[in-house]
Amino acid sequence: MKSRVRIRPRRRTSLLAVGGLAAGLLLAVPQPASAANLIKNPGFETAGTGDMPYCWEKSGWGDNDFTFKTVADAHSGSKAMKVELTRRTEGDRKALITESAECAPPVSAGKQYDLSLWYKSTTPDASVTLFRHDTTAGWQYWTDLKTLQMAAGWTGATVRTPEVPAGTDRISWGVSVYGTGSVTTDDYTMEQVADPVPEPDCTGTAEECANGRWDVLPTENPVRSMHSVVLHNGKVLLIAGSGNDPEMFEAGTFTSAVYDPVKGTYKQIPTPDDMFCAGHVQLDDGRVLVMSGNKGYPSADGTIGYQGYKDSYIFDPETETYTKTNDMNDGHWYPSATILGNGDVISFGGLREDSTGSVTAELWSDAEQQWLPTWKVNQTWSYWGLYPSMILMQDGRLFYSGSHVFGNNIPGTGSAIYDYEANTITQVPGLQNKDERDQSASVLLPPAQDQRVLTVGGGNIDSNPDANRLVDVIDLKDANPSYVAGPPLPQGTVDLGAGPVPQTGGQGKMYVSAVLLPDGKVLETGGALHNRANPVFESSIYDPETNTFDPVAADPEARGYHSSAFLLPDGRVMTTGDNPGNGSWNHNVSIYTPPYLLKGERPTITSVIDTEWTYGDTQRITVDRPIAKAELIRPAAVTHSSDPNQRFVDLPLSVDGNNVDLNVTSNPNLAPPGWYMLFAVDANGVPSVAEWVHLQGPSALAAAAENGASAHVHSFADSLEGKVTKAGKKKTSQPVSPTVSGCDRHYGSANVCVPTAFPAEVKKTAAARCTWLKDHDYGRLEVNGKDDPLGLDRNKDGLACGKADVLKR
């Protein structure tokens, strides 16, 4: 009897009136598909019209008595479907996916699909039954695939379809009950079986295909840029200000340039103020907010250090001009800049106009388009340091990773979570050598939904030890997150003054850059062993899935202090800058072609239906060949190893031939509003050229991110263990290290201030500098460590400005 039922042509009479079905399609809202699941409302959670869930209908034939019930005894969620036969002469009954273009999953001829569900059964007479829609003949029975065994508890069942026949564009399926008893089902899934991935064709040399290729561009960067911002038109804003050159500051020569990667050209931009060591971030409309900068260089006697002004500007990519905003409440030379889920920007740290550390938090209001007065901003009155890496978490809190600039870390563990609404700071443990993470790099790992942060390298410009190889990883989803040690940075070569030699022991690098790649990995590149000296030539790619580094080709150019690295929309990485202790500047620009661009033809996004995206949307794109994943990558706004807004947001996808539907997160804390690069990536990790899309729309509650449209969002604890501090007493500023104020600690004892920048009239020679130091009563100066950035110890005897150092040669 079972055999006869399985093979007989299907005879079915729908038990849902046609008019009711049409009304249901108009009234019900489909539950978005999870990652790769082609079934809508797979768990019966969304109600339809009548007594059936949305996108499900009653089906069956023959002489039998039956009931269909939505029951609370669910495998997950709150609902499941129970079909029961109490009498049977012939035929069957089944809950079937509604046979409509709205509900029936699309399929492609020649492809196979994996079908699975969870079930309980009191009858041996139940099977998975398939129907197909022929584009000419309409709906018809296809096949029975699997008999379900009796099961008292929830049991999973999976079956693979035959290849889809030609002319078939959709299928429908369900569990047929053809004997007395009941079957309860829940959590249906349907996923296309991936095509076998062919080995990629190498389009370069074997070495290039394994490790990528660096090319130094023939045209130099015309400005001493230390700030790089990728604009939503694909160009790059390069900001120099005075470029760490006191003579240009005195002359009022402040520069920026816009680089066009397609044409390979630079356009210099009038720059109204010294944006040297400012903060910057892309606003939700694509304009760039630039905050503070350099009001003044240190005095020669060391009594006055660098000074941060209160000025703030907006750069418009359309007009390529700067416009002044209202002032910040305090000066902030080297400030942080983090965009929040509502489009506001929060900023901490940096130096004030009097060279002390700023303890004032600043908030840019997206609604008001201005900096809010201090009394409207929650204040901890804490000094967060210089360029503190403040990363937005999925629940709206901020994670201070411990990456910063200049000298020691902040007191405590060197890492913390800041809750702006509660105005509390919670220490986070585990960061290795917290006081040697000066100009380390921190990045929110792909995908952002996983909430893991990688911190690599670092040093200390005060004590100036060899920079380290330390790597730390933290999972912010943990109830009480703590850094754990990761694999050490790979070693390359270091130039100690006589050409590159292999690194040894614990030698790593500071001034390191970390760049998110569209294949879901991270490129780390550049760096130096000591403060503004001894460039390290090493690059590697970190894989978050395996927690490993893979050494690749190294940038041939030195990339130490004031260097940047960032992702271009075509999937390549651009690196600029290097400003060693002698004050020179590297104007050469390097381009890295990762191995994924040497694996043959890359996929193409042939159309984007809509470039204006709203949280919780399902957005459709078309591609020219199969892809395995898609993501949004926020464009870079990087300086001094720091870009806390860099993030890679996964887009769970559903595939219908060359049409791909992308599920956009409903949580703006995961993907703050703004312009993003949209990449489509094939099974070999080869990305398309990015398309630009604009993510905007009403803010959603973070909790909504746990539902369908925001797949891969993980919950984490409401509170943290460990030391929690409330806002401290109000104060105006924080004393900072003399090094930050303009003293070079490579020479002399702690109470001696050798200026990092000599007066303009002092020639940049050892003789002239030593004469100035002697005239200003500097005594015997020992060289601290191996580094001599001012060139005062030419004979390398460990004593600056000795007789042999000032002799003409």
Side-chain angles (χ1 to χ4, degrees):
M1 178 63 71
K2 285 189 288 185
S3 175
R4 181 178 66 84
V5 173
R6 284 200 301 273
I7 64 173
R8 67 176 298 154
R10 168 206 173 224
R11 294 186 297 179
R12 181 187 61 82
T13 303
S14 174
L15 302 182
L16 182 64
V18 174
L21 172 61
L25 292 178
L26 292 172
L27 293 175
V29 178
Q31 178 178 329
S34 61
N37 187 7
L38 300 177
I39 297 178
K40 296 180 179 179
N41 199 19
F44 307 103
E45 300 295 325
T46 303
T49 57
D51 58 355
M52 288 296 287
Y54 177 74
C55 275
W56 292 89
E57 63 180 333
K58 299 175 183 176
S59 179
W61 66 281
D63 180 11
N64 46 69
D65 296 332
F66 56 88
T67 57
F68 289 80
K69 290 181 181 178
T70 303
V71 296
D73 179 18
H75 173 253
S76 70
S78 61
K79 297 177 182 178
M81 173 58 60
K82 183 176 183 180
V83 179
E84 184 172 15
L85 266 60
T86 56
R87 181 192 63 84
R88 176 186 181 275
T89 301
E90 64 172 347
D92 64 33
R93 298 295 156 180
K94 48 192 166 284
L96 194 69
I97 297 171
T98 304
E99 293 176 342
S100 70
E102 178 72 18
C103 297
V107 294
S108 299
K111 303 295 184 183
Q112 291 180 277
Y113 295 81
D114 286 332
L115 314 180
S116 62
L117 71 149
W118 289 84
Y119 77 96
K120 294 180 178 181
S121 176
T122 65
T123 175
D125 299 323
S127 64
V128 177
T129 303
L130 278 66
F131 300 85
R132 68 181 188 89
H133 182 259
D134 187 281
T135 53
T136 301
W139 284 101
Q140 52 192 262
Y141 170 80
W142 182 10
T143 185
D144 278 19
L145 281 180
K146 183 182 182 70
T147 297
L148 301 180
Q149 302 299 315
M150 296 177 65
W154 284 108
T155 303
T158 301
V159 66
R160 179 165 292 183
T161 71
E163 289 188 2
V164 174
T168 302
D169 61 354
R170 294 183 181 274
I171 69 170
S172 172
W173 58 283
V175 174
S176 297
V177 181
Y178 53 92
T180 55
S182 66
V183 178
T184 305
T185 58
D186 197 4
D187 293 339
Y188 286 66
T189 61
M190 174 175 166
E191 300 176 355
Q192 182 175 319
V193 177
D195 293 328
V197 179
E199 286 297 318
D201 295 324
C202 175
T203 57
T205 66
E207 172 67 19
E208 290 172 342
C209 290
N211 297 318
R213 180 184 70 241
W214 288 92
D215 297 292
V216 179
L217 298 184
T219 303
E220 292 187 337
N221 180 357
V223 302
R224 293 164 60 107
S225 62
M226 58 199 67
H227 307 274
S228 303
V229 184
V230 178
L231 307 172
H232 71 270
N233 56 15
K235 299 179 181 179
V236 183
L237 173 64
L238 301 165
I239 303 174
S242 63
N244 198 21
D245 186 334
E247 293 181 4
M248 294 182 71
F249 178 82
E250 292 298 328
T253 304
F254 310 132
T255 59
S256 302
V258 170
Y259 173 65
D260 186 333
V262 177
K263 297 179 180 179
T265 57
Y266 295 86
K267 175 184 177 182
Q268 297 210 41
I269 303 296
T271 305
D273 229 328
D274 189 6
M275 296 173 182
F276 157 52
C277 296
H280 38 68
V281 63
Q282 294 98 334
L283 297 174
D284 58 5
D285 59 5
R287 296 176 303 152
V288 181
L289 179 65
V290 183
M291 61 205 71
S292 193
N294 179 40
K295 188 175 183 179
Y297 281 81
S299 61
D301 61 6
T303 58
I304 301 174
Y306 286 100
Q307 306 123 57
Y309 57 67
K310 299 179 180 180
D311 297 9
S312 169
Y313 294 85
I314 286 180
F315 179 81
D316 189 337
E318 302 301 326
T319 62
E320 296 184 339
T321 57
Y322 290 100
T323 303
K324 197 173 187 305
T325 73
N326 69 319
D327 285 350
M328 305 174 82
N329 298 293
D330 204 1
H332 296 274
W333 186 72
Y334 279 68
S336 72
T338 304
I339 189 167
L340 304 178
N342 62 357
D344 291 351
V345 174
I346 194 165
S347 178
F348 300 91
L351 297 188
R352 308 173 72 231
E353 293 176 309
D354 63 1
S355 302
T356 59
S358 176
V359 296
T360 303
E362 307 270 6
L363 192 68
W364 170 268
S365 169
D366 184 60
E368 299 182 31
Q369 288 293 295
Q370 65 176 353
W371 293 103
L372 296 181
T374 305
W375 63 270
K376 285 189 175 182
V377 183
N378 285 348
Q379 299 290 337
T380 65
W381 309 114
S382 300
Y383 179 57
W384 289 92
L386 302 178
Y387 285 137
S389 179
M390 309 290 285
I391 297 172
L392 180 65
M393 297 166 61
Q394 70 172 10
D395 64 355
R397 293 180 293 178
L398 293 169
F399 174 58
Y400 169 55
S401 71
S403 289
H404 65 290
V405 172
F406 292 172
N408 291 346
N409 210 326
I410 61 174
T413 62
S415 180
I417 288 177
Y418 174 57
D419 188 328
Y420 178 80
E421 295 301 326
N423 206 24
T424 57
I425 301 170
T426 304
Q427 297 292 313
V428 172
L431 183 66
Q432 302 175 84
N433 284 22
K434 78 176 186 72
D435 289 329
E436 293 184 14
R437 308 315 289 265
D438 176 352
Q439 292 188 101
S440 58
S442 292
V443 66
L444 183 64
L445 288 171
Q449 287 93 332
D450 281 353
Q451 294 286 282
R452 294 191 300 145
V453 172
L454 176 78
T455 296
V456 297
N460 187 313
I461 71 163
D462 288 346
S463 56
N464 204 32
D466 286 356
N468 61 67
R469 304 175 63 192
L470 299 177
V471 173
D472 298 281
V473 183
I474 189 169
D475 187 341
L476 296 172
K477 303 185 306 297
D478 287 348
N480 294 287
S482 175
Y483 270 117
V484 295
L489 277 174
Q491 292 178 305
T493 60
V494 57
D495 189 343
L496 298 174
V501 296
Q503 287 187 289
T504 60
Q507 291 181 334
K509 55 187 181 178
M510 58 193 300
Y511 311 122
V512 59
S513 293
V515 182
L516 297 179
L517 301 176
D519 64 350
K521 299 177 183 178
V522 182
L523 172 72
E524 62 82 14
T525 186
L529 187 61
H530 294 110
N531 176 30
R532 302 185 69 180
N534 308 129
V536 173
F537 300 92
E538 183 275 334
S539 300
S540 63
I541 292 178
Y542 175 77
D543 187 339
E545 292 189 2
T546 61
N547 191 31
T548 56
F549 287 95
D550 178 21
V552 294
D555 189 342
E557 297 289 329
R559 300 293 179 201
Y561 189 50
H562 287 154
S563 65
S564 295
F566 46 91
L567 180 69
L568 295 173
D570 64 6
R572 299 179 301 164
V573 175
M574 178 172 169
T575 62
T576 68
D578 179 50
N579 185 197
N582 62 12
S584 63
W585 190 272
N586 184 355
H587 286 273
N588 288 328
V589 174
S590 302
I591 297 290
Y592 179 58
T593 300
Y596 55 59
L597 293 182
L598 300 168
K599 293 182 177 180
E601 186 180 359
R602 60 197 301 184
T604 300
I605 300 175
T606 53
S607 71
V608 180
I609 303 302
D610 187 1
T611 59
E612 294 290 334
W613 289 16
T614 301
Y615 294 102
D617 274 354
T618 297
Q619 287 286 348
R620 172 162 290 191
I621 63 171
T622 60
V623 291
D624 67 339
R625 58 193 182 85
I627 63 170
K629 62 183 176 182
E631 75 272 350
L632 299 177
I633 296 183
R634 192 171 182 91
V638 61
T639 187
H640 293 76
S641 304
S642 180
D643 183 2
N645 300 290
Q646 190 180 189
R647 58 187 54 214
F648 172 120
V649 183
D650 180 42
L651 297 171
L653 50 85
S654 300
V655 179
D656 177 9
N658 289 337
N659 296 319
V660 181
D661 287 337
L662 308 174
N663 290 333
V664 184
T665 178
S666 61
N667 185 354
N669 293 325
L670 277 176
W675 285 89
Y676 285 80
M677 293 181 283
L678 166 65
F679 287 97
V681 185
D682 72 13
N684 278 317
V686 180
S688 67
V689 173
E691 296 287 339
W692 288 94
V693 298
H694 189 210
L695 184 55
Q696 57 177 344
S699 295
L701 295 175
E706 297 178 11
N707 295 327
S710 299
H712 307 330
V713 178
H714 302 280
S715 61
F716 49 149
D718 295 331
S719 61
L720 298 170
E721 292 179 358
K723 183 179 179 181
V724 180
T725 57
K726 296 282 186 179
K729 292 183 179 180
K730 183 175 181 180
K731 56 183 178 179
T732 57
S733 65
Q734 175 84 10
V736 296
S737 163
T739 308
V740 178
S741 300
C743 303
D744 196 316
R745 288 301 179 198
H746 295 100
Y747 309 96
S749 58
N751 60 347
V752 174
C753 181
V754 175
T756 56
F758 284 80
E761 64 269 16
V762 179
K763 293 182 179 179
K764 296 178 180 179
T765 65
R769 287 170 169 172
C770 289
T771 298
W772 186 93
L773 290 169
K774 181 178 180 181
D775 291 344
H776 287 79
D777 300 317
Y778 284 80
R780 178 183 176 89
L781 296 174
E782 292 185 355
V783 179
N784 302 316
K786 304 175 182 178
D787 195 10
D788 176 25
L790 298 177
L792 306 182
D793 183 21
R794 299 170 69 188
N795 68 348
K796 306 298 181 184
D797 65 354
L799 180 66
C801 294
K803 290 183 179 180
D805 299 320
V806 296
L807 292 176
K808 293 184 179 180
R809 298 181 183 179

